[in-house]
mmCIF file with all atom_site columns, all heavy atoms in Angstrom:
data_model
loop_
_atom_site.group_PDB
_atom_site.id
_atom_site.type_symbol
_atom_site.label_atom_id
_atom_site.label_alt_id
_atom_site.label_comp_id
_atom_site.label_asym_id
_atom_site.label_entity_id
_atom_site.label_seq_id
_atom_site.pdbx_PDB_ins_code
_atom_site.Cartn_x
_atom_site.Cartn_y
_atom_site.Cartn_z
_atom_site.occupancy
_atom_site.B_iso_or_equiv
_atom_site.pdbx_formal_charge
_atom_site.auth_seq_id
_atom_site.auth_comp_id
_atom_site.auth_asym_id
_atom_site.auth_atom_id
_atom_site.pdbx_PDB_model_num
ATOM 1  N N   . ALA A 1 130 ? -27.697 -39.662 -20.146 1.00 59.00 ? 130 ALA A N   1
ATOM 2  C CA  . ALA A 1 130 ? -26.295 -40.035 -20.348 1.00 59.00 ? 130 ALA A CA  1
ATOM 3  C C   . ALA A 1 130 ? -25.840 -39.526 -21.710 1.00 59.00 ? 130 ALA A C   1
ATOM 4  O O   . ALA A 1 130 ? -26.510 -39.720 -22.716 1.00 59.00 ? 130 ALA A O   1
ATOM 5  C CB  . ALA A 1 130 ? -26.116 -41.536 -20.243 1.00 59.00 ? 130 ALA A CB  1
ATOM 6  N N   . SER A 1 131 ? -24.692 -38.850 -21.719 1.00 57.00 ? 131 SER A N   1
ATOM 7  C CA  . SER A 1 131 ? -24.197 -38.226 -22.937 1.00 57.00 ? 131 SER A CA  1
ATOM 8  C C   . SER A 1 131 ? -23.449 -39.187 -23.839 1.00 57.00 ? 131 SER A C   1
ATOM 9  O O   . SER A 1 131 ? -23.156 -38.866 -24.973 1.00 57.00 ? 131 SER A O   1
ATOM 10 C CB  . SER A 1 131 ? -23.281 -37.053 -22.599 1.00 57.00 ? 131 SER A CB  1
ATOM 11 O OG  . SER A 1 131 ? -24.033 -36.037 -22.003 1.00 57.00 ? 131 SER A OG  1
ATOM 12 N N   . ALA A 1 132 ? -23.107 -40.324 -23.334 1.00 61.00 ? 132 ALA A N   1
ATOM 13 C CA  . ALA A 1 132 ? -22.330 -41.268 -24.128 1.00 61.00 ? 132 ALA A CA  1
ATOM 14 C C   . ALA A 1 132 ? -22.538 -42.664 -23.560 1.00 61.00 ? 132 ALA A C   1
ATOM 15 O O   . ALA A 1 132 ? -23.013 -42.835 -22.441 1.00 61.00 ? 132 ALA A O   1
ATOM 16 C CB  . ALA A 1 132 ? -20.851 -40.888 -24.088 1.00 61.00 ? 132 ALA A CB  1
ATOM 17 N N   . THR A 1 133 ? -22.182 -43.668 -24.348 1.00 66.00 ? 133 THR A N   1
ATOM 18 C CA  . THR A 1 133 ? -22.270 -45.030 -23.839 1.00 66.00 ? 133 THR A CA  1
ATOM 19 C C   . THR A 1 133 ? -21.217 -45.255 -22.762 1.00 66.00 ? 133 THR A C   1
ATOM 20 O O   . THR A 1 133 ? -21.349 -46.145 -21.952 1.00 66.00 ? 133 THR A O   1
ATOM 21 C CB  . THR A 1 133 ? -22.080 -46.044 -24.981 1.00 66.00 ? 133 THR A CB  1
ATOM 22 O OG1 . THR A 1 133 ? -20.845 -45.752 -25.642 1.00 66.00 ? 133 THR A OG1 1
ATOM 23 C CG2 . THR A 1 133 ? -23.218 -45.965 -25.965 1.00 66.00 ? 133 THR A CG2 1
ATOM 24 N N   . ASP A 1 134 ? -20.172 -44.442 -22.755 1.00 74.00 ? 134 ASP A N   1
ATOM 25 C CA  . ASP A 1 134 ? -19.117 -44.512 -21.738 1.00 74.00 ? 134 ASP A CA  1
ATOM 26 C C   . ASP A 1 134 ? -19.049 -43.163 -21.017 1.00 74.00 ? 134 ASP A C   1
ATOM 27 O O   . ASP A 1 134 ? -18.227 -42.314 -21.341 1.00 74.00 ? 134 ASP A O   1
ATOM 28 C CB  . ASP A 1 134 ? -17.779 -44.834 -22.413 1.00 74.00 ? 134 ASP A CB  1
ATOM 29 C CG  . ASP A 1 134 ? -16.615 -44.823 -21.443 1.00 74.00 ? 134 ASP A CG  1
ATOM 30 O OD1 . ASP A 1 134 ? -16.858 -44.898 -20.214 1.00 74.00 ? 134 ASP A OD1 1
ATOM 31 O OD2 . ASP A 1 134 ? -15.467 -44.732 -21.900 1.00 74.00 ? 134 ASP A OD2 1
ATOM 32 N N   . PRO A 1 135 ? -19.923 -42.941 -20.038 1.00 74.00 ? 135 PRO A N   1
ATOM 33 C CA  . PRO A 1 135 ? -19.942 -41.631 -19.372 1.00 74.00 ? 135 PRO A CA  1
ATOM 34 C C   . PRO A 1 135 ? -18.650 -41.303 -18.638 1.00 74.00 ? 135 PRO A C   1
ATOM 35 O O   . PRO A 1 135 ? -18.279 -40.139 -18.519 1.00 74.00 ? 135 PRO A O   1
ATOM 36 C CB  . PRO A 1 135 ? -21.118 -41.721 -18.408 1.00 74.00 ? 135 PRO A CB  1
ATOM 37 C CG  . PRO A 1 135 ? -21.466 -43.146 -18.310 1.00 74.00 ? 135 PRO A CG  1
ATOM 38 C CD  . PRO A 1 135 ? -20.949 -43.838 -19.524 1.00 74.00 ? 135 PRO A CD  1
ATOM 39 N N   . TYR A 1 136 ? -17.929 -42.322 -18.167 1.00 77.00 ? 136 TYR A N   1
ATOM 40 C CA  . TYR A 1 136 ? -16.669 -42.060 -17.469 1.00 77.00 ? 136 TYR A CA  1
ATOM 41 C C   . TYR A 1 136 ? -15.620 -41.553 -18.450 1.00 77.00 ? 136 TYR A C   1
ATOM 42 O O   . TYR A 1 136 ? -14.889 -40.614 -18.166 1.00 77.00 ? 136 TYR A O   1
ATOM 43 C CB  . TYR A 1 136 ? -16.196 -43.305 -16.732 1.00 77.00 ? 136 TYR A CB  1
ATOM 44 C CG  . TYR A 1 136 ? -17.223 -43.805 -15.738 1.00 77.00 ? 136 TYR A CG  1
ATOM 45 C CD1 . TYR A 1 136 ? -17.734 -45.091 -15.841 1.00 77.00 ? 136 TYR A CD1 1
ATOM 46 C CD2 . TYR A 1 136 ? -17.690 -42.986 -14.720 1.00 77.00 ? 136 TYR A CD2 1
ATOM 47 C CE1 . TYR A 1 136 ? -18.686 -45.542 -14.937 1.00 77.00 ? 136 TYR A CE1 1
ATOM 48 C CE2 . TYR A 1 136 ? -18.641 -43.428 -13.816 1.00 77.00 ? 136 TYR A CE2 1
ATOM 49 C CZ  . TYR A 1 136 ? -19.136 -44.711 -13.929 1.00 77.00 ? 136 TYR A CZ  1
ATOM 50 O OH  . TYR A 1 136 ? -20.082 -45.153 -13.045 1.00 77.00 ? 136 TYR A OH  1
#
Side-chain angles (χ1 to χ4, degrees):
S131 293
T133 55
D134 176 17
Y136 302 121

